[in-house]
Amino acid sequence: MATEIIAEAPGSGAGNLLIPKSRQTFAGMIAIVLTAIVAILIAREDETVAAIWVVGSMFGFTLQRSRFCFASAFRDLFLFGSGRNMKGILVGMAVATLGFAAIMRWLVPNPDFGGLPGEAHVLPVGLSVVVAGLMFGFGMVIAGGCVSGSLYRMAEGYVASWVAIAGVIIGLGVMTHTWNWWWTNIISHEPKIWFPSTGGMGYAGGVVLTMAGLGLVYLAVTWWETKNGIFSPHISRHVAPAMTFSERVREVIDPVFKRGWPIVVGGAVIGFLGVLLYLIHMPLGVTGELMRASIEGMGWIGLDAPIMEGLSTLGGCTGRAGESGLLTHTFAITVGLLPGALIAALLAGEFRVRLPARKIRYGQSLAGGVLMGYASGLALGCTVGAFFSAVPSLSLSGWVFGAALAGGAFAGTYVIKRIP
Amino acid sequence: MLSGNIPVLDVRGEICPYPMMRTNKELDENLPGTLALDVLTDHPPALSTIPPQAMKRGYEVEIEEAGSGQWRIRLTKAAS
């Protein structure tokens, strides 16, 4: 961390408080118990869904603690030359790549036979991914957070993030009504390029290529930071050694629950959770459930989504939106993220209902959300499903989506600099 | 310790990147050369984006909690 919190000033600025700090810790503990009870109740119906619920909560917890943010990862490169968040993402994808490769090799021992590993996020590559990445990258910078970022901020009390997620659901709805055009004219002609079955590369080649690519991008980001004069100031902590029992316990508890995590630790944990989730069923992704919400919502207002051709054959996040019932896998990961992020915020004393200071932020959140929703429908996933889970799936689509995200974020950065 | 009239920039309710952008603008345009500035924020990521930018401009940084879910970032600089 760049700095440390040196004192707690009680009572000051209490105007907008919802819950005082000590009560936040207490509420956080209650939230842990409730989340666990929900997990046990779900397990009585379906143990797989319960397991995904728990991973989802850990995902939300980690996102909040490490302030994992895809929007700032791309935006800050252009805004002030910082690659802090991008490095966390790269490390996370490297961890996930090793785990995914092991799982995929177990699912498909011989990649040359033409089959793709079930559930891997190997998605079509072509114009659709480029358009989606540009739209999504632009939208997330305008809204101030991507889909996963807005989800965990919803739980932390950011009102604008609720607006952003509403926008995402609307955008996904618009997508369902234009999907068949994209499918017929564009997506059905696009190949899925999976490195292990390309050019006789095999798993070894696919992993080496992906890891080398991640390493090169990491180096490039470091070069970019150097060029822009970015440094992480180190402030030495002069902390007395822990002597009493309670001090020794706090020494373990505080870095996990009270202080923010280094971004690289957050990235590695999220990469690990992605591997765990793939072992349970599928790679990480959050838009599937939002797509279900969108389809459901349109049904209520009489704008029923048309049958989306080809979608169920494509995989990715939105391809899973066809699951029915409440206790689906997409429900467990997306909704499970919320209590995890809430617990993290409460235990750290960071929960607060935050209303945007300026009304224009509502507009930015909604517009950015709609763009992200449309784009994640088109790309079959958001920055998590179509990027963070696609690169480790050894899919070319993840790289193309990532590059397009950077392009969109560049344009978005240009615009927000001009919105005061 | 400084006392008296430290100017305050209230960026509560703003999320990234606005807390940092508005702090930079305050330091560079609105109060150029100020020896002290208190920034009020309720956006935790700002606690790791504002300090490096302020340090680049020669400020020392102290962060303290100012109530639940909000912080005061005090930027100070020795008179040169």
Side-chain angles (χ1 to χ4, degrees):
Chain A
M1 286 301 288
T3 47
E4 58 187 297
I5 291 166
I6 53 169
E8 292 177 14
S12 57
N16 269 326
L17 294 192
L18 188 77
I19 311 172
K21 185 180 161 69
S22 58
R23 279 196 217 158
Q24 287 212 17
T25 311
F26 185 65
M29 288 170 175
I30 291 176
I32 292 177
V33 173
L34 291 178
T35 307
I37 290 174
V38 171
I40 292 165
L41 291 176
I42 295 175
R44 294 168 65 165
E45 297 291 320
D46 187 328
E47 284 191 334
T48 307
V49 176
I52 296 172
W53 170 265
V54 172
V55 173
S57 297
M58 291 161 78
F59 179 43
F61 187 90
T62 308
L63 287 172
Q64 201 280 344
R65 288 291 67 213
S66 58
R67 299 270 154 217
F68 211 70
C69 183
F70 288 91
S72 75
F74 286 95
R75 177 197 65 215
D76 293 350
L77 286 171
F78 305 121
L79 191 61
F80 61 112
S82 165
R84 179 179 169 274
N85 277 282
M86 184 55 81
K87 286 175 170 174
I89 290 170
L90 293 168
V91 168
M93 291 199 294
V95 170
T97 296
L98 299 176
F100 276 35
I103 296 169
M104 291 191 294
R105 188 171 179 280
W106 180 67
L107 291 171
V108 179
N110 190 338
D112 290 331
F113 289 168
L116 288 174
E119 305 297 341
H121 284 195
V122 183
L123 305 170
V125 184
L127 183 67
S128 65
V129 188
V130 174
V131 171
L134 291 170
M135 276 179 80
F136 195 106
F138 185 80
M140 71 182 178
V141 171
I142 298 298
C146 66
V147 178
S148 61
S150 298
L151 281 167
Y152 82 77
R153 289 201 190 110
M154 272 172 77
E156 285 185 88
Y158 286 86
V159 175
S161 298
W162 288 77
V163 176
I165 293 296
V168 171
I169 291 172
I170 294 169
L172 280 163
V174 177
M175 180 70 231
T176 62
H177 287 274
T178 54
W179 169 266
N180 287 336
W181 183 88
W182 282 101
W183 168 255
T184 310
N185 295 294
I186 312 280
I187 299 173
S188 62
H189 308 295
E190 292 175 344
K192 291 179 172 180
I193 297 177
W194 188 48
F195 294 139
S197 62
T198 305
M201 230 187 278
Y203 283 102
V207 170
V208 167
L209 184 67
T210 301
M211 295 299 264
L214 293 172
L216 278 177
V217 176
Y218 194 100
L219 266 181
V221 169
T222 308
W223 172 81
W224 181 248
E225 286 189 313
T226 314
K227 185 172 177 289
N228 284 283
I230 289 292
F231 57 93
S232 336
H234 289 284
I235 296 178
S236 54
R237 280 174 173 275
H238 299 287
V239 182
M243 298 303 285
T244 67
F245 176 67
S246 75
E247 281 170 358
R248 284 167 209 252
V249 172
R250 289 201 72 92
E251 200 176 36
V252 179
I253 299 276
D254 284 3
V256 179
F257 294 99
K258 296 287 181 197
R259 291 198 286 271
W261 297 3
I263 191 78
V264 167
V265 173
V269 171
I270 291 168
F272 170 78
L273 291 174
V275 174
L276 203 56
L277 190 66
Y278 194 8
L279 275 175
I280 297 170
H281 172 210
M282 64 204 184
L284 270 176
V286 293
T287 37
E289 183 66 13
L290 299 175
M291 179 78 144
R292 279 186 359 119
S294 183
I295 291 170
E296 181 92 353
M298 285 191 299
W300 291 344
I301 55 171
L303 286 172
D304 294 79
I307 303 289
M308 294 166 74
E309 294 166 45
L311 184 62
S312 58
T313 65
L314 288 173
C317 296
T318 46
R320 271 185 217 104
E323 294 179 45
S324 59
L326 174 65
L327 293 182
T328 59
H329 296 185
T330 59
F331 167 84
I333 191 70
T334 305
V335 180
L337 181 163
L338 302 173
L342 175 66
I343 289 165
L346 286 171
L347 293 179
E350 292 180 355
F351 180 85
R352 185 167 188 264
V353 175
R354 297 158 169 97
L355 293 169
R358 298 179 176 184
K359 297 284 174 278
I360 190 169
R361 305 286 183 253
Y362 289 110
Q364 286 176 247
S365 295
L366 185 68
V370 171
L371 286 172
M372 289 193 287
Y374 190 89
S376 56
L378 186 54
L380 306 160
C382 63
T383 39
V384 180
F387 176 55
F388 192 84
S389 292
V391 167
S393 297
L394 308 180
S395 168
L396 180 63
S397 66
W399 292 92
V400 175
F401 191 58
L405 284 171
F410 179 78
T413 307
Y414 181 86
V415 170
I416 54 163
K417 276 186 189 167
R418 281 151 189 83
I419 304 175
Chain B
M1 202 62 210
L2 281 155
S3 58
N5 299 322
I6 295 181
V8 176
L9 175 67
D10 187 350
V11 292
R12 287 177 298 175
E14 291 283 24
I15 65 164
C16 276
Y18 288 105
M20 182 203 72
M21 278 167 58
R22 288 181 56 189
T23 303
N24 289 354
K25 192 175 177 201
E26 198 77 357
L27 296 174
D28 297 341
E29 292 171 29
N30 300 347
L31 298 169
T34 183
L35 296 181
L37 178 68
D38 275 352
V39 182
L40 279 180
T41 180
D42 57 7
H43 187 55
L47 304 181
S48 49
T49 57
I50 291 174
Q53 292 290 313
M55 287 165 135
K56 239 175 135 173
R57 291 163 171 78
Y59 288 90
E60 303 224 357
V61 181
E62 266 177 36
I63 299 175
E64 61 176 31
E65 258 182 81
S68 183
Q70 41 188 337
W71 296 265
R72 174 169 42 246
I73 306 176
R74 175 158 293 177
L75 310 176
T76 52
K77 183 155 79 169
S80 53

